[in-house]
Amino acid sequence: MTEPVIQVSGASKEFDDGQAALREVSLTVAPGEAVAVLGPSGSGKSTLLNLVAGLDRPSRGTVTVAGIRVDTLNEAGAARFRRQKIGMVFQFFNLLDDLTVLDNVVLPAELTGTSRSVARRRAGELLDTLGIAKHARAYPGRLSGGERQRVAVARALMNRPALLLADEPTGALDSASGAEVEGLLNELHQEGQTIVLVTHDLALAEACATRTVRIVDGRIASDTLNSAAMTPSAAPAASKSTAVAR
Amino acid sequence: MSTLLRLARTGVGRRRVQTLVIALASMMAVTASVLGGSLLVASNAPFDHAFARGHGAHLTVQYDAAKATADQLAATTRVTGVTAAAGPFRTATVDPAPGAGLDLPAGMKLSPMRLVGRAEAGGPVDQVSLLAGHWAAGPGQLVASADYSGAQLTVGQQLRVGATELTVVGVARSVSATADGWVTPDQAVTLGGVPGWQLLYRFAQAGAGADLAADRAAVTAAAPAGAAVGSRGWLDVKAGNTKSTGLFLPFLTAFGLLGLGMSVLIVGNVVAGAVGSGTRRIGILKAIGLTPAQVVGAYLVQALVPAAAGTLVGAVLGNVGAGAVLSGAEQVYGTSSLSVAPWVDAAVVAGTLLLVAGTAFAAALRAGRLRTVEALAVGRTPKAGRGRAATRIAVRLPLPRPVTLGLARPFARPARSLAMVSAVLLGTVAVTFAFGLGSSLQRIQQAKQSTADVTVIGALPPGAAGPPGSGPGNSSGNVAGNATRSGDTAAMLAAIQAQPGTSAVFGTAHTEVGAVGTTGSVAVTAFLGDASWGGFQLVAGRWFHGAGEAVAPTGFLTATGTRIGDTVTVTDHGQQLRVRISGEAFSTQNDGLALLTDAATLAAAEPDLEADLFYVALKHGTDPDAYTDALNTALAPTGARAETGGGGGASQLLIVLDSLTALLTLMLIAVAGLGVLNAVVLDTRDRVRDLGVAKALGMTPRQTVATVLASVALIGLAGGVAGVPVGVWLQHLVVPAMAHSAGLRLPPAILSVYGPVDLLPLLLGGPLLALLGALLPATWAARTRTAVALRTE
């Protein structure tokens, strides 16, 4: 049996003021799955994402990602875990404005000590694949929202992560750009990339995810398989463009 | 509480680091300024008051009685520019011996006295203050000067001058230091000794040295040619009186200015930083109805509250420090009680607060002018485009990415970076200057000793002032009698020369002479043997060659108005000796009123002059301790004792200067470090979201620390590179000024203290200071939870 990429067991999170953000949440994500975590504002979905990414620790319970007990890692260990196993895409892109697109993308690789030439080659392939190679020397501020999010995705894929976490990836985009990103996530999923997508957009969840987990008041209210979304096995052969992304 | 105060209070509470830094910077500036200002006022005020009250003489001129008559000299008082004159008074330079009621330790004798025949203490110039007894009214009566260096004379004691018995009937002080004692005019004629005339002048213009020189030239030109044999201006007298406190002024001024510069810089940076990083807050405040004036006011109060606290603490510290220094200086003025002038406190406190307010106002004005809509929109992101070129270059450097990210950072906030460079620069200037000052003081201390390996001290009578420390640079200001050695000089010298390991030896004898142009006695160190290897430092000229030549400290040359190459006449035991000055020596002995010469120079007057100290150079490889032990055994019959080293002890004044320098430097370094810390805190807060992103991408805490530290590395280097030359320049400016205050000129070796080995650590001090200042915020950045950082607006 294949080992799950994410194994959250009985995780609770209470903040310093005693307010509970998550209550006894358990969740398993298998390799190649695309899971949408859906819920209203303040439901705890971003907290769950932070626990999985090692950005925060649960008050109780365990979080295992790619075979690593994330909840026991110290700050340095969590950083190494993220750079090796996780790719993150944020709602507001979180690109560094004073770095060019190319330099933003190579950053995660350079933090691991990868040589600059190797990192640039990999980044060039990703930018080419994602259709933004012509902006390699531009600064993020000059790109459209959709282009910026593509850059963020390229950066997230730089170290070939086991898990791609996307936090409201279309939340700051217009509908056309949102559709671009939606297509991109779908393509990645077809390539076999495990994805956890946090959103409150039901349409995005249905379009990109094979499974939808609804969170309400810090608890999992439902966990259902989507019929509309394509599964990697059901998908057509990977397109040439996304194949290099893996 | 008004809205304004509430906003200011919350601002102070939110920015504890900045608040602390403003308070400390203000405290530092005020402490140094109060110290400097108080000493300046205290050192000038008593003399100035006494001089004005006593109608002090702007110029005292000594004339040769053989070359001018009283009538001829009276003509000099009618020269244009002379507003008042006293004299001519008959003078006699005599060698007194103790009489009834005056017991000196065995082997001690009194210094020569310049006695002036004056019928009364008052007069149009130099009104002498009678401190005890009454004025001399007849023959055999003497009024002793309280400043006579030979002994502390009291009413009723007697002196013998030749066959004449003089009874001390009064003790007085002349603010112009015109005599060692006063007798009746008739008595001055009959006493014998070296006869002369003294004339005291006041001029319309005498405020500067150039004025006095012109006045001196005018009056001496009116006298018969060659009659004027010496003179002393009131500025020299004043310098002698104020030197103990005046010495502190140049370097306290330097530290005060550095402190003020730091205050302005830090206050400006803190308020500008608060405005820059609080742009969104300002926008919200304006959106809810605060006027631009209210916003400016809130930031102004935010800066003034900690500045006021720091200023008050600084004033207290300054008063305590000044009190400690002034208590020592009180002795200079006798009965005067010195204290910190309240107006100095008030002026420094008000000036500092005004400076802080002005700086804060300029920075806060930007907040007032900020358009509400822009403030709300812009938040606190640096303007796009800034520092991109630097980033492009940095990322291509073959360095780890966290480091290159940091290296480019200063260019994104050029104004803040400039402020940080300035803080590091001032800190580096302080350290470099303090190092130079300390080294110079150390070399001054060393110059007071000879380079001899061993010093042999003759057996002295109990209570006699004596060695060690009787070397050429000895700082003892009071030659309290001339100690004659009681040991067997010949036996001592024979024992030294016979001791295995002796390479060279010379002896020194100490005596006193009178010199035209000086009041009181001139301390003479007479050398027996070749002393050229003794390491005595010269400011100019050359060491003396044989009899008839001497080197003299700056104080002697100034007092007698002589220069290298001139010949001066000195009076030794009633004999007039002519001595050619071959060099200017660095010496603080007897406040610079000293001569260093060959013993043969004085042979005519003192044929039996014998050494009381011997300086020994050892052969290479000789153990000084073993040599000293063996020599002490050999010297035992003579009563002399040998000590390793060149003699001389640590000066209390230099210790105080060293301590004060160290304290002020530490304060400046602390403030500079806090200035960097403050700027890095602001910068780290501004970019906490960027750091959060990097951490989310896998940047470890150690890499985060590296990024923050790298962001100040270039700043530290720039501040260090710029600060070291400024510090060296400051040392070259201040140390000679301090020496000038003490009536000294310094040999180049004392000033040139920075070698390559010293400069390198000083240059690295800048980066070190910057890194230390950034360490705390770097740790804070590394510890900030990534999720929190990502949520930070």
Side-chain angles (χ1 to χ4, degrees):
Chain A
M1 184 183 164
T2 314
E3 199 168 306
V5 174
I6 300 174
Q7 179 80 59
V8 178
S9 302
S12 297
K13 178 67 184 177
E14 284 130 28
F15 292 115
D16 294 341
D17 58 4
Q19 192 185 345
L22 280 182
R23 303 162 201 261
E24 298 290 328
V25 168
S26 293
L27 177 70
T28 301
V29 177
E33 270 197 296
V35 179
V37 179
L38 217 63
S41 183
S43 59
K45 55 187 189 299
S46 288
T47 304
L48 177 61
L49 188 85
N50 286 344
L51 296 187
V52 171
L55 297 175
D56 215 342
R57 288 186 197 177
S59 307
R60 284 180 300 284
T62 62
V63 179
T64 306
V65 177
I68 297 170
R69 272 288 298 277
V70 181
D71 57 286
T72 61
L73 296 174
N74 60 17
E75 273 291 314
R80 280 191 286 271
F81 156 74
R82 279 194 296 277
R83 70 163 73 134
Q84 288 162 2
K85 304 291 183 187
I86 302 283
M88 291 192 77
V89 178
F90 304 92
Q91 178 179 1
F92 293 103
F93 329 122
N94 280 342
L95 299 173
L96 301 180
D97 290 335
D98 52 352
L99 294 181
T100 62
V101 163
L102 182 64
D103 287 330
N104 263 288
V105 175
V106 298
L107 183 59
E110 288 183 333
L111 288 175
T112 66
T114 306
S115 77
R116 184 162 173 79
S117 58
V118 172
R120 285 170 73 93
R121 193 160 53 244
R122 163 77 176 156
E125 288 169 359
L126 282 168
L127 292 174
D128 192 38
T129 301
L130 297 172
I132 46 173
K134 62 182 176 186
H135 298 305
R137 298 198 178 281
Y139 287 93
R142 313 198 83 174
L143 306 185
S144 70
E147 288 168 333
R148 275 190 252 183
Q149 198 59 296
R150 281 176 177 269
V151 175
V153 170
R155 185 178 66 181
L157 296 175
M158 187 66 196
N159 287 344
R160 295 184 172 84
L163 175 63
L164 181 66
L165 298 174
D167 188 3
E168 303 281 10
T170 60
L173 302 177
D174 57 44
S175 56
S177 299
E180 267 182 47
V181 172
E182 185 183 306
L184 181 58
L185 291 174
N186 256 323
E187 285 179 19
L188 288 169
H189 176 227
Q190 303 317 312
E191 280 295 308
Q193 174 71 58
T194 309
I195 299 174
V196 172
L197 171 69
V198 169
T199 182
H200 62 268
D201 182 349
L202 183 59
L204 178 68
E206 287 179 343
C208 296
T210 52
R211 184 177 150 202
T212 299
V213 174
R214 286 174 186 275
I215 297 187
V216 178
D217 293 336
R219 296 180 195 279
I220 294 181
S222 66
D223 187 347
T224 56
L225 288 175
N226 295 346
S227 54
M230 289 187 291
T231 61
S233 55
S239 66
K240 179 188 170 223
S241 63
T242 53
V244 292
R246 298 297 307 151
Chain B
M1 186 186 287
S2 73
T3 309
L4 191 78
L5 287 177
R6 195 177 302 119
L7 284 172
R9 198 193 66 182
T10 55
V12 168
R14 274 158 47 98
R15 301 182 182 282
R16 291 193 190 93
V17 174
Q18 286 90 335
T19 301
L20 179 72
V21 170
I22 290 181
L24 284 176
S26 307
M27 185 191 83
M28 159 76 206
V30 170
T31 301
S33 300
V34 166
L35 258 173
S38 301
L39 292 177
L40 179 65
V41 172
S43 61
N44 282 312
F47 179 84
D48 288 345
H49 291 160
F51 193 80
R53 198 171 51 241
H55 293 275
H58 287 141
L59 186 69
T60 302
V61 182
Q62 186 71 26
Y63 294 97
D64 188 340
K67 292 182 179 174
T69 64
D71 289 341
Q72 286 172 320
L73 293 178
T76 66
T77 64
R78 293 188 286 274
V79 167
T80 308
V82 175
T83 57
F89 301 121
R90 198 61 192 258
T91 65
T93 304
V94 299
D95 282 309
L102 179 58
D103 296 322
L104 291 180
M108 301 291 290
K109 63 181 183 182
L110 289 166
S111 303
M113 290 184 97
R114 182 186 305 283
L115 299 178
V116 176
R118 281 179 69 163
E120 56 179 359
V125 181
D126 190 29
Q127 295 169 353
V128 178
S129 308
L130 200 60
L131 305 176
H134 62 82
W135 197 251
Q141 295 190 356
L142 167 73
V143 176
S145 169
D147 298 319
Y148 170 54
S149 62
Q152 197 72 40
L153 298 174
T154 55
V155 174
Q157 289 178 329
Q158 290 192 334
L159 301 176
R160 279 197 318 279
V161 177
T164 311
E165 291 276 351
L166 291 176
T167 302
V168 178
V169 296
V171 178
R173 170 173 282 134
S174 158
V175 70
S176 304
T178 52
D180 296 315
W182 294 269
V183 292
T184 59
D186 291 341
Q187 182 78 77
V189 175
T190 59
L191 271 178
V194 181
W197 293 107
Q198 183 185 72
L199 255 159
L200 311 174
Y201 304 92
R202 284 179 68 86
F203 300 99
Q205 296 286 330
D211 296 333
L212 267 181
D215 293 332
R216 182 188 287 115
V219 294
T220 53
V229 291
S231 64
R232 193 176 191 193
W234 76 286
L235 293 175
D236 292 334
V237 179
K238 179 177 178 177
N241 272 271
T242 59
K243 71 174 65 169
S244 64
T245 48
L247 193 62
F248 288 83
L249 289 178
F251 97 98
L252 282 175
T253 305
F255 275 111
L257 288 176
L258 282 173
L260 277 179
M262 197 83 92
S263 291
V264 168
L265 188 76
I266 286 172
V267 168
N269 190 29
V270 165
V271 178
V275 172
S277 61
T279 306
R280 188 173 160 77
R281 184 169 181 256
I282 293 165
I284 294 168
L285 292 175
K286 287 187 162 184
I288 60 174
L290 256 75
T291 65
Q294 284 175 312
V295 172
V296 171
Y299 279 93
L300 205 57
V301 173
Q302 201 171 309
L304 278 174
V305 167
T311 301
L312 290 176
V313 175
V316 171
L317 288 177
N319 277 266
V320 170
V325 175
L326 291 177
S327 65
E330 279 179 9
Q331 296 163 8
V332 175
Y333 307 107
T335 56
S336 301
S337 179
L338 302 178
S339 59
V340 178
W343 69 264
V344 171
D345 281 336
V348 170
V349 167
T352 306
L353 287 178
L354 268 176
L355 205 61
V356 169
T359 310
F361 180 76
L365 212 54
R366 205 177 117 233
R369 287 178 176 163
L370 213 58
R371 287 181 58 207
T372 310
V373 87
E374 282 177 1
L376 285 170
V378 170
R380 59 185 188 186
T381 310
K383 280 186 185 169
R386 271 185 181 165
R388 280 181 178 169
T391 308
R392 270 200 302 274
I393 295 167
V395 295
R396 276 158 187 74
L397 295 173
L399 294 168
R401 177 47 70 91
V403 174
T404 60
L405 281 177
L407 286 178
R409 181 65 195 166
F411 300 93
R413 291 272 194 189
R416 183 175 295 164
S417 300
L418 196 64
M420 271 199 274
V421 168
S422 305
V424 174
L425 185 147
L426 288 175
T428 308
V429 168
V431 174
T432 307
F433 168 59
F435 169 81
L437 181 61
S439 300
S440 289
L441 294 177
Q442 181 69 32
R443 291 192 184 186
I444 288 172
Q445 185 68 34
Q446 286 168 352
K448 291 168 61 187
Q449 306 167 1
S450 80
T451 54
D453 298 311
V454 174
T455 307
V456 178
I457 304 148
L460 291 173
S470 301
N474 179 21
S475 65
S476 65
N478 187 353
V479 186
N482 181 22
T484 58
R485 73 188 175 84
S486 62
D488 184 339
T489 304
M492 285 164 62
L493 185 58
I496 294 166
Q497 286 173 331
Q499 189 65 34
T502 301
S503 170
V505 60
F506 68 86
T508 58
H510 297 86
T511 186
E512 291 173 357
V513 298
V516 289
T518 66
T519 53
S521 56
V522 175
V524 177
T525 302
F527 291 84
L528 297 101
D530 177 19
S532 57
W533 57 267
F536 305 112
Q537 297 204 25
L538 294 179
V539 178
R542 59 167 175 79
W543 193 246
F544 58 81
H545 293 325
E549 281 196 342
V551 295
T554 313
F556 178 90
L557 299 180
T558 306
T560 57
T562 50
R563 285 182 290 194
I564 294 171
D566 288 354
T567 299
V568 293
T569 302
V570 298
T571 307
D572 188 7
H573 290 80
Q575 291 232 22
Q576 290 202 324
L577 306 169
R578 291 175 65 76
V579 181
R580 184 175 176 276
I581 304 297
S582 67
E584 181 178 347
F586 175 73
S587 170
T588 57
Q589 184 184 12
N590 195 29
D591 287 342
L593 279 180
L595 277 174
L596 288 76
T597 187
D598 194 292
T601 303
L602 308 177
E606 296 189 74
D608 300 326
L609 198 60
E610 291 181 338
D612 47 36
L613 280 169
F614 286 96
Y615 297 91
V616 184
L618 301 182
K619 288 177 181 166
H620 184 69
T622 306
D623 177 14
D625 291 328
Y627 175 93
T628 305
D629 290 343
L631 183 58
N632 271 327
T633 306
L635 287 171
T638 67
R641 73 175 192 282
E643 292 178 353
T644 53
S651 156
Q652 198 63 34
L653 189 63
L654 292 184
I655 291 170
V656 171
L657 279 170
D658 269 342
S659 308
L660 211 51
T661 303
L663 179 71
L664 291 171
T665 305
L666 278 177
M667 284 170 73
L668 266 178
I669 291 172
V671 173
L674 285 170
V676 174
L677 181 143
N678 158 62
V680 180
V681 163
L682 285 174
D683 202 51
T684 309
R685 279 187 181 155
D686 284 357
R687 57 191 298 226
V688 67
R689 192 178 171 84
D690 281 359
L691 287 171
V693 170
K695 289 173 84 173
L697 296 175
M699 185 181 269
T700 62
R702 193 173 293 178
Q703 287 174 318
T704 310
V705 170
T707 299
V708 176
L709 292 186
S711 72
V712 298
L714 283 179
I715 284 170
L717 197 62
V721 167
V724 167
V726 178
V728 172
W729 171 79
L730 198 60
Q731 186 259 1
H732 277 66
L733 190 75
V734 171
V735 173
M738 291 171 71
H740 181 73
S741 298
L744 294 169
R745 285 209 309 147
L746 299 176
I750 285 179
L751 205 55
S752 305
V753 295
Y754 300 98
V757 179
D758 308 310
L759 288 175
L760 187 64
L762 290 170
L763 282 169
L764 295 177
L768 184 68
L769 181 64
L771 292 176
L772 284 175
L775 201 55
L776 203 64
T779 312
W780 171 77
R783 284 185 180 166
T784 303
R785 286 168 52 215
T786 312
V788 174
L790 285 171
R791 279 199 298 270
T792 306
E793 282 184 15

